[in-house]
Structures are given as structure tokens and as C-alpha cells.
Amino acid sequence: MTIKISKIKSICILRLSAIGDVTHVLPVVATLQKAIPDIKITWVIGQFEYKLLEGLKGVDFILFDKRQGRIAYKKLKNQLSNITFDVLLHMQYSFRANRAAWKIKAKTRVGFDKKRSRELHGLMLNKRIQAVEKQHVLDSFMEFAKALGVNEPVYQWNITTSKADQQIVKQFINPEKRNVIISPCSSNKLRNWSNENYAQIINYMCETYGAHVILCGGPSAYEIETAEEIENFSNHPVTNITGKDTLKQLFALMRLADLVISPDSGPMHIANAAQTPVIGLHAATTAVRSGAYSYPELAIDCFEQAAIQILKKSPDKIRWGGQIIQEGVMDLITVDKVKEKIDVVFKSNPDTFR
């Protein structure tokens, strides 16, 4: 099916979750808005993810609360009952998202290629994106713009923050030092680096560069305990705001920081959206697919080593997007490897602070 850009007046984006993935959709939004200035974009998104994207210019949001079960689908259907979009960009292939897509009316329904489709994703599609091997997630999303004939990508994230949030986070920044944010937790404990290693890195940055370190994370008991343990292991004081900030405030804080260190997680991608250098710690996942998009040179990627040493497999035998969730996988990332990346960031601008 051929689509004429001039005929497209309205687009619905369906991407419910997760935080990292919705940040990857933002350049697609910017790309479409530049190519079709008068385009009306509606985004069906999860309630939690909306907390980061609220206020995105030129986008109307419809919130989907998965906790409501069937009621969430009924609400979605009712909200969109009188609307037929020119295009639906069905950018998630979980069964939950696929079920939601069936409630959205659109003339052209664009989804993933057959190889990436799963859980009935292909039902009711009439156009698919190009199949490309071993893409970064953001690049795979950009294929949706290409499917509409838009081939000039715009790598902008355009997340907004209020003046109040900007003022709140300023208190955590030391303007006379390099400010480093460590976000130690991902969605899976086995994808997290050890607390002792983080403490060693804090000691190194404080003693070598006089850094000011900020620990952040969500409000769960595990994340709070993790941050407290790292703080206790460290020989130097840190600013621990774990569980005390919002997603918008985290973004505002990361824009002021000089460096972020994190495993593959939502905060890592928020840092990338803030265009702050981020050292991504990858062993359970590969940075080639899910690393901080703008900073591939700072990623520490031990995924292939993990495949060989832990799974006893050639990396080529692992499905693209597969993970190695095993005890000890993150131990392949050594403290020295992280120190080397820190040196790359700080020695490239030895006298410059943000």
C-alpha cells in the first residue's frame, strides 16, 4: 500500500510502555512533525509513561491504565468511537497492545514486519515496516516514519519540564563540581551491577575528579535499600534522592548533570533524552539494540562475552532482543572498564562544567 504524505492529516501512535521505549518514539514524533507540520498526532500511552511525556508539544494523549483490565479497553473504545485516523502506527507487539489496537479505527494500519511480530500483532494490519536485521530499538521505530515516506530523521526528544521542577532539582547540583548521577537499578535485579562496585566507582570519581555523586531511583523498598547500601559502602558522602523525585524532575536533574551511570533501564534512556553523557552497563542485554542511543561509544557491552561464558553459545545463536538473565552476568563488567569510560568523559573536557 502506497501512502501519500499530503493525504495524511491525523496519526494515532500506539505505544503503551515502557519508559525507555517511549523515549525512543519521541524522535519519530519530531520527524513526523517536521515532515507534516499540520499533522494531528494522538498517542495512546500508559499512565506511568505519560508522567514523563506530559506537555509534549503537538501531541494529544489518551491514557491507558492496564490495572483496570477490561475496563481500560472499554474506555479506549468509547474515547475513540467517533474517530477514524488516517494512520495508526502500531508500535508495540505485546498482546495487551495488540488488543488495544483492535479498538482503534484507522484507514492505514502500520505495524512491525513479520519476523518481529508476535502475539497476534499482524491481525488487522494493512502495512508493515521494512524488515531490517539487528536494529537498535529507536531505529526500528524510525522505520514507521519511513513507511509513510518520511526519510529524514529528526533526533530530538523535546521533553518539557516546569520551572518549579527545574528549581527543585537545582538544590541537588553542586555548581563547583562535576555532577554524576548513578541510577543503579533496572526492572530486573539480575541486570543490576553490584553495590560494592558502585561504591568503588564513587570513591574513584570523588578522589580523582572531585565529583559530586547523586544516587537516584524509584520508591520501591528494594531501590531505597540498594541506594542506602551503596551510600554505606562508599568512603565519600553522596546525595541520595532515591524515591524522592518525579520522572519530570529526574529528566530536569539529568539535564544539569555531567554524567549518568546506569544499567539498561528507563533512567538510562531518560539521560539519553536529556542529551547527557551516559555510561550504560550491559551484559544481560546488548547495547547495540538497547543502549543509550546517542552515546554508543560510552557503553560497556559484555553481552557477547556473557553468551560464550555463561550460556556456552555463540552470540549469533541468541535471538535478537533476547536477554541473558543469569546470576553473575553483570559481574563481567569490571570496575576498571567503568573507570576507563569515566576517564573518556572527564578528560575530554577537563576544565568544563555544565
Side-chain angles (χ1 to χ4, degrees):
M1 171 181 286
T2 302
I3 307 170
K4 291 185 178 180
I5 295 178
S6 60
K7 299 292 185 181
I8 300 175
K9 305 299 181 185
S10 62
I11 291 177
C12 180
I13 292 173
L14 174 61
R15 181 74 213 192
L16 303 176
S17 60
I19 286 293
D21 290 317
V22 299
T23 67
H24 295 327
V25 176
L26 291 173
V28 180
V29 172
T31 297
L32 293 172
Q33 289 176 329
K34 182 179 179 182
I36 318 171
D38 297 327
I39 191 69
K40 179 176 175 56
I41 297 178
T42 301
W43 187 337
V44 181
I45 193 170
Q47 279 202 323
F48 178 68
E49 292 73 15
Y50 172 69
K51 293 178 181 179
L52 177 63
L53 271 55
E54 182 181 3
L56 185 65
K57 187 176 180 181
V59 177
D60 295 325
F61 288 97
I62 294 178
L63 306 191
F64 183 90
D65 186 356
K66 64 182 180 181
R67 297 170 298 180
Q68 294 181 335
R70 290 185 209 171
I71 295 174
Y73 297 102
K74 185 176 181 179
K75 284 183 177 179
L76 178 63
K77 183 179 180 180
N78 290 340
Q79 284 178 283
L80 297 176
S81 61
N82 296 321
I83 303 174
T84 299
F85 297 99
D86 291 325
V87 176
L88 167 66
L89 301 183
H90 185 4
M91 304 176 79
Q92 187 166 346
Y93 42 66
S94 67
F95 180 73
R96 180 185 296 115
N98 294 335
R99 186 177 174 187
W102 302 338
K103 310 298 182 183
I104 301 170
K105 292 179 286 187
K107 300 171 187 175
T108 302
R109 307 174 66 85
V110 186
F112 284 96
D113 55 276
K114 290 183 179 180
K115 187 171 183 179
R116 282 181 277 206
S117 296
R118 64 187 70 163
E119 299 186 26
L120 307 180
H121 177 75
L123 289 182
M124 299 175 66
L125 295 180
N126 54 21
K127 188 173 181 63
R128 293 180 182 269
I129 65 171
Q130 183 177 354
V132 181
E133 292 291 326
K134 298 186 176 181
Q135 281 185 308
H136 190 282
V137 174
L138 192 155
D139 291 325
S140 71
F141 289 163
M142 200 60 77
E143 294 294 334
F144 283 82
K146 292 179 182 179
L148 302 183
V150 180
N151 295 302
E152 295 184 12
V154 177
Y155 294 107
Q156 294 176 359
W157 283 258
N158 298 329
I159 295 171
T160 62
T161 55
S162 68
K163 289 184 178 179
D165 283 337
Q166 293 167 24
Q167 285 299 122
I168 287 171
V169 301
K170 276 186 178 178
Q171 67 183 301
F172 305 127
I173 293 292
N174 186 330
E176 297 181 354
K177 294 187 174 184
R178 292 181 171 91
N179 291 272
V180 181
I181 297 173
I182 293 178
S183 179
C185 295
S186 70
S187 59
N188 190 309
K189 295 179 182 180
L190 295 180
R191 287 176 13 186
N192 296 342
W193 208 34
S194 79
N195 296 340
E196 293 88 344
N197 286 349
Y198 279 120
Q200 289 188 56
I201 288 301
I202 291 171
N203 294 340
Y204 177 74
M205 292 190 295
C206 291
E207 293 163 10
T208 307
Y209 297 104
H212 170 232
V213 178
I214 304 165
L215 290 174
C216 72
S220 71
Y222 172 74
E223 289 173 272
I224 290 171
E225 290 168 6
T226 296
E228 288 176 349
E229 190 166 286
I230 293 170
E231 188 174 6
N232 291 335
F233 284 154
S234 172
N235 298 332
H236 300 270
V238 301
T239 298
N240 184 357
I241 64 168
T242 303
K244 300 175 183 177
D245 61 333
T246 66
L247 288 174
K248 288 282 194 183
Q249 289 167 1
L250 178 61
F251 177 79
L253 182 64
M254 286 179 166
R255 290 197 70 180
L256 297 176
D258 297 283
L259 175 65
V260 175
I261 302 173
S262 175
D264 185 354
S265 63
M268 180 183 76
H269 298 295
I270 293 174
N272 183 82
Q275 293 295 274
T276 296
V278 52
I279 297 173
L281 309 180
H282 295 263
T285 60
T286 176
V288 180
R289 180 182 182 274
S290 59
Y293 189 81
S294 301
Y295 302 96
E297 74 283 359
L298 296 181
I300 299 171
D301 194 338
C302 295
F303 184 78
E304 292 190 359
Q305 182 183 353
I308 294 168
Q309 292 184 208
I310 294 178
L311 296 185
K312 312 299 181 185
K313 285 185 177 181
S314 165
D316 294 336
K317 299 297 182 182
I318 299 176
R319 176 183 61 83
W320 188 246
Q323 301 184 35
I324 303 174
I325 306 298
Q326 301 278 351
E327 288 282 355
V329 65
M330 294 297 286
D331 294 338
L332 296 174
I333 300 172
T334 65
V335 170
D336 284 342
K337 288 178 181 177
V338 180
K339 287 180 180 178
E340 289 173 5
K341 297 297 183 180
I342 292 168
D343 292 343
V344 167
V345 175
F346 287 155
K347 289 182 179 179
S348 62
N349 294 293
D351 302 315
T352 303
F353 301 97
R354 289 194 170 209

